[in-house]
Amino acid sequence: MTPEATLAKFREHMVGPARFMNLLSCFELGVIDALRERPGLDAVELGRVVGAKPDAVEQLLHLPVKEGFVAYDPATGGYSLDALADLPQADLDRVLIFMDLVKVTMLRQLYYLTESVKAGTVVGLKEFYGYEGNLFGAVAEHKDLRESWATAMDAGTARVDPWFFDNVEIPAGARVLDLAGNTGLGAINTYRHKTSPGLHVTTFDLPEKEQEALENFRANGVAEHCSFIGGDVFREVPTGFDVVLIRHFLTLWDRSEVLKILHNVNKSLDVGGQVSVLVPVYQDDVREHDSRSVDFYPAFFLGCAMGQGGPQKLSTWSGWLEECGFEVTEVVVENPTDIPADALPLQAVVSARKTA
Amino acid sequence: MTPEATLAKFREHMVGPARFMNLLSCFELGVIDALRERPGLDAVELGRVVGAKPDAVEQLLHLPVKEGFVAYDPATGGYSLDALADLPQADLDRVLIFMDLVKVTMLRQLYYLTESVKAGTVVGLKEFYGYEGNLFGAVAEHKDLRESWATAMDAGTARVDPWFFDNVEIPAGARVLDLAGNTGLGAINTYRHKTSPGLHVTTFDLPEKEQEALENFRANGVAEHCSFIGGDVFREVPTGFDVVLIRHFLTLWDRSEVLKILHNVNKSLDVGGQVSVLVPVYQDDVREHDSRSVDFYPAFFLGCAMGQGGPQKLSTWSGWLEECGFEVTEVVVENPTDIPADALPLQAVVSARKTA
């Protein structure tokens, strides 16, 4: 790469925060909605509609015009939606949910990325919220974080869950443990997607989740097929299961913690028992074109969510399973062409069998 | 543009803050310096050198590996500089100065961009520093802002000032007014670059700058050729000058303020008098490839520096001069191929003559 090309790449990185927030602000201000309703408004009229000076509206619209999202007519000074007019509303909604997540859980917190990496905790949460712990604890206490986070997670799992159940095999009548299954939604979904005679799904999580999980089972009419066990995955995983599912969880931890979890899962299973993990993956060669997760997840997990963790390469996840006494039996990775172009993680289902 | 292409563009915007801070953090942690000194270190060794967990180092290095800045050898697990090894140190220093400016003066503050636009003030400075006013006032009170800002400004003017003086004509023996000339550095540079028999340069700024300006003139041995007048450019511009220079200033203001300034300049000059402004410009068609300023400056001026202002198209600057009784006589714009690939603003010198 020539020094010029390297410098141009630096420039692309340098303008990242400004570009992000400029674009989002056009939506937050209501400029895009105003143009959808009344194409052709000029900066003065837009300023009146959204409650901002025309000068500022004009400044903020340069970027979407440059990107082809919005069209500008120099003859009239009027703006109208360009590419944004052709974008299905559901796609736009998904994008805006994710952009809000970036703004609320990342933008400020990333200022302390280096400190977070050194401390192994999310320093940004402490600095901006006085909260000591990870994002998942902080969302319980802070409404702004919770609303942004919960909405994004719902949208994310709505896409990933059906794909997961399409690509994981669960033997008929199996006794399934949904590890770190929170308040039971994973167990309910597992039962629904994989129903078979005798199938029973148990949520395993911290004891304080039990009450809400049991209520969820009842409310969803699966109380007969789902149950709850309280405990701590870092201490011991309950025995008596054929299949352990670990979804949206391993990626929160560094290697040593992942190995502890997988080791405890291994101990809990009989030889031949199955573990299936749902994890986001980096391409084994991150220089490949579709390594889109690399742009986002290291900074997110280290600086905003956990102070540790992150996706791994498929070879790493497989290697860790093998290190803990499993033989990998099946790997399915999302096809980049099957997920929306704005989506970041490539998910994988890695299934393995206990060999020793 | 297809919806897929639009969504992919959104993705590029969404990952902007994460990419920016991930890359900068590799430098802040000392990972890049460590690899420059000892190529081939693996994540464990790097973690030891920089005081971070190897897991985190590995996560953060995915992005620079993907971008080709750093090379990764899967056989040894070792990292070494790739494109970064070929980048002259002066270029890298300039880039890092700018990235620090983005981090310190923008990253957090941009969270309040929408609020800043609505209020017409930099809400982020109030939220994070308790400061009511603009960035130039805030740097006087806050060391972290000042250090980041001053370093970046020095680097910026070191590039732009020589180009400005190469491209502005100042008649021999002229009486020059350096408008909003701060503590006299612009006047000193003007005298040095444009020396001619009888040339005299006067700094015009708020009265409280006088003392320091006069000291600067003495220290630089130009006290005979430079002087200071205190006043407020929004009220009245002193008379008796042949040329008024306005550099790094008009871009801070919205249209109505710029017109006030130019109107007062016009009033102060005799017919035939010259004004030369140094301003950053957007391409007249911002969809052109080299509209790089558009990625950065709207968000910077609105959300981080002033709550107003920003570069304008050349046609806008010229139109405003004409609106205030000037005829544009010469326009020189920086050639994008002559400025470093990482540099954002394209500067222009617009000279005009008072016609009425």
Side-chain angles (χ1 to χ4, degrees):
Chain A
M1 190 154 43
T2 65
E4 283 67 33
T6 307
L7 293 173
K9 278 204 175 193
F10 268 112
R11 188 178 82 225
E12 286 304 306
H13 285 73
M14 283 167 2
V15 299
R19 281 165 64 86
F20 165 76
M21 202 55 220
N22 185 335
L23 182 57
L24 179 54
S25 198
C26 290
F27 289 94
E28 289 187 342
L29 281 167
V31 170
I32 305 300
D33 283 344
L35 291 177
R36 196 182 301 279
E37 280 169 36
R38 296 167 61 193
L41 293 181
D42 66 18
V44 172
E45 294 158 334
L46 278 169
R48 206 174 294 133
V49 172
V50 307
K53 279 185 84 174
D55 308 63
V57 170
E58 199 178 299
Q59 289 284 335
L60 288 179
L61 279 172
H62 286 316
L63 178 66
V65 168
K66 179 191 167 197
E67 298 291 329
F69 290 162
V70 169
Y72 173 68
D73 179 352
T76 65
Y79 298 90
S80 57
L81 299 192
D82 191 349
L84 287 180
D86 304 326
L87 198 61
Q89 188 63 39
D91 285 333
L92 183 58
D93 289 346
R94 184 183 62 240
V95 162
L96 290 177
I97 284 169
F98 199 86
M99 289 183 85
D100 188 69
L101 178 78
V102 171
K103 179 190 165 190
V104 176
T105 69
M106 298 185 76
L107 191 60
R108 294 161 298 167
Q109 290 85 329
L110 282 173
Y111 180 87
Y112 295 101
L113 176 59
T114 299
E115 290 78 3
S116 295
V117 165
K118 286 189 175 177
T121 60
V122 187
V123 175
L125 286 172
K126 179 150 179 5
E127 293 291 332
F128 297 119
Y129 290 90
Y131 186 83
E132 305 213 28
N134 63 39
L135 178 61
F136 313 101
V139 298
E141 294 190 13
H142 295 279
K143 187 160 172 275
D144 65 327
L145 292 172
R146 180 166 64 251
E147 287 179 350
S148 185
W149 170 255
T151 311
M153 284 311 93
D154 289 350
T157 51
R159 172 172 73 80
V160 174
D161 273 14
W163 177 85
F164 172 76
F165 289 114
D166 281 352
N167 287 284
V168 69
E169 227 168 295
I170 295 183
R175 298 160 301 167
V176 177
L177 187 71
D178 189 31
L179 188 129
N182 201 11
T183 56
L185 234 69
I188 296 165
N189 284 335
T190 304
Y191 183 78
R192 286 195 173 148
H193 281 90
K194 294 298 191 183
T195 308
S196 66
L199 178 70
H200 192 93
V201 190
T202 301
T203 297
F204 178 57
D205 211 308
L206 300 174
E208 56 261 38
K209 314 263 186 178
E210 177 159 10
Q211 196 60 27
E212 200 179 332
L214 295 180
E215 276 162 32
N216 283 333
F217 296 152
R218 275 193 296 273
N220 284 274
V222 296
E224 205 185 320
H225 312 289
C226 295
S227 50
F228 185 96
I229 296 178
D232 176 358
V233 67
F234 287 105
R235 302 193 53 174
E236 195 177 13
V237 174
T239 58
F241 295 93
D242 307 305
V243 177
V244 176
L245 303 181
I246 317 180
R247 307 182 317 134
H248 312 295
F249 186 62
L250 291 185
T251 195
L252 305 181
W253 310 100
D254 277 351
R255 178 178 185 278
S256 55
E257 278 68 28
V258 173
L259 293 186
K260 264 184 224 160
I261 297 165
L262 292 179
H263 188 73
N264 286 345
V265 170
N266 184 273
K267 241 174 29 187
S268 81
L269 289 169
D270 293 334
V271 169
Q274 173 188 335
V275 62
S276 291
V277 305
L278 174 67
V279 280
V281 291
Y282 299 136
Q283 306 289 333
D284 266 21
D285 183 343
V286 294
R287 289 167 305 176
E288 279 179 28
H289 177 66
D290 263 306
S291 299
R292 47 179 86 170
S293 297
V294 162
D295 292 285
F296 183 80
Y297 279 97
F300 176 73
F301 280 101
L302 294 172
C304 310
M306 291 295 293
Q308 65 170 300
Q312 301 291 343
K313 297 175 182 183
L314 207 46
S315 57
T316 304
W317 291 123
S318 300
W320 289 353
L321 280 160
E322 282 159 18
E323 221 172 298
C324 294
F326 291 101
E327 173 195 29
V328 173
T329 53
E330 200 183 1
V331 173
V332 189
V333 185
E334 272 189 314
N335 187 335
T337 61
D338 289 345
I339 70 174
D342 55 291
L344 287 164
L346 288 180
Q347 301 286 345
V349 185
V350 184
S351 291
R353 187 171 42 218
K354 171 169 175 167
T355 54
Chain B
M1 188 154 45
T2 65
E4 284 67 35
T6 307
L7 292 173
K9 278 204 176 193
F10 268 112
R11 188 177 84 226
E12 286 305 306
H13 285 73
M14 284 167 2
V15 299
R19 281 164 63 86
F20 166 76
M21 203 54 220
N22 185 333
L23 182 57
L24 179 54
S25 198
C26 291
F27 288 95
E28 288 186 344
L29 280 167
V31 170
I32 306 300
D33 283 344
L35 290 177
R36 197 182 300 279
E37 279 170 37
R38 297 167 60 193
L41 292 181
D42 66 17
V44 172
E45 295 160 331
L46 278 169
R48 207 174 294 134
V49 172
V50 307
K53 279 185 84 172
D55 308 63
V57 170
E58 200 178 298
Q59 289 283 335
L60 289 179
L61 279 172
H62 286 316
L63 178 66
V65 168
K66 179 190 169 198
E67 298 292 329
F69 290 161
V70 168
Y72 173 68
D73 179 353
T76 64
Y79 298 89
S80 56
L81 298 193
D82 192 349
L84 286 180
D86 304 326
L87 198 61
Q89 189 63 39
D91 285 333
L92 183 58
D93 289 345
R94 183 183 62 241
V95 162
L96 290 177
I97 284 170
F98 199 86
M99 289 184 83
D100 189 69
L101 177 79
V102 171
K103 178 190 165 192
V104 176
T105 69
M106 298 185 75
L107 191 60
R108 295 161 299 167
Q109 290 84 329
L110 282 173
Y111 181 86
Y112 296 101
L113 176 58
T114 299
E115 290 78 2
S116 295
V117 165
K118 286 189 174 177
T121 61
V122 186
V123 175
L125 285 172
K126 180 151 178 8
E127 292 292 333
F128 297 119
Y129 291 89
Y131 185 82
E132 305 212 29
N134 64 39
L135 178 61
F136 313 101
V139 298
E141 293 190 13
H142 296 279
K143 187 160 172 275
D144 64 328
L145 292 172
R146 180 166 63 250
E147 287 178 351
S148 185
W149 170 254
T151 310
M153 284 312 92
D154 289 350
T157 50
R159 172 172 74 79
V160 174
D161 272 14
W163 177 83
F164 171 76
F165 289 114
D166 281 352
N167 288 285
V168 69
E169 226 166 295
I170 294 183
R175 297 159 302 166
V176 177
L177 187 72
D178 189 33
L179 188 129
N182 202 10
T183 55
L185 235 68
I188 295 165
N189 285 335
T190 303
Y191 183 78
R192 286 198 173 146
H193 281 90
K194 295 296 191 183
T195 307
S196 66
L199 179 70
H200 192 93
V201 190
T202 301
T203 297
F204 178 56
D205 211 308
L206 301 174
E208 56 261 39
K209 314 262 187 179
E210 176 160 10
Q211 196 61 26
E212 201 178 332
L214 295 181
E215 276 162 32
N216 283 333
F217 296 152
R218 275 194 294 274
N220 284 274
V222 296
E224 206 186 320
H225 312 289
C226 295
S227 50
F228 185 96
I229 296 179
D232 176 358
V233 65
F234 287 105
R235 301 194 54 175
E236 196 176 11
V237 174
T239 56
F241 295 92
D242 307 305
V243 176
V244 176
L245 304 180
I246 315 180
R247 308 183 314 135
H248 311 295
F249 186 62
L250 291 186
T251 195
L252 306 180
W253 309 101
D254 277 351
R255 178 178 185 278
S256 55
E257 278 69 28
V258 172
L259 293 186
K260 265 184 226 162
I261 297 165
L262 292 179
H263 189 71
N264 286 345
V265 170
N266 184 272
K267 243 180 17 194
S268 80
L269 288 169
D270 293 334
V271 169
Q274 174 188 333
V275 62
S276 291
V277 305
L278 174 67
V279 281
V281 291
Y282 299 136
Q283 305 290 333
D284 266 20
D285 183 344
V286 295
R287 289 168 305 176
E288 277 179 28
H289 177 67
D290 263 305
S291 298
R292 48 178 86 168
S293 297
V294 161
D295 293 285
F296 183 80
Y297 278 97
F300 176 73
F301 280 101
L302 294 172
C304 310
M306 291 294 295
Q308 65 170 299
Q312 301 291 344
K313 297 175 182 182
L314 206 45
S315 56
T316 304
W317 291 123
S318 298
W320 290 352
L321 280 160
E322 283 159 17
E323 221 171 299
C324 294
F326 291 100
E327 173 196 27
V328 173
T329 53
E330 199 183 2
V331 174
V332 189
V333 186
E334 273 189 313
N335 187 336
T337 61
D338 288 346
I339 71 175
D342 55 291
L344 288 164
L346 289 179
Q347 302 286 344
V349 185
V350 184
S351 291
R353 188 173 39 218
K354 171 169 175 168
T355 54

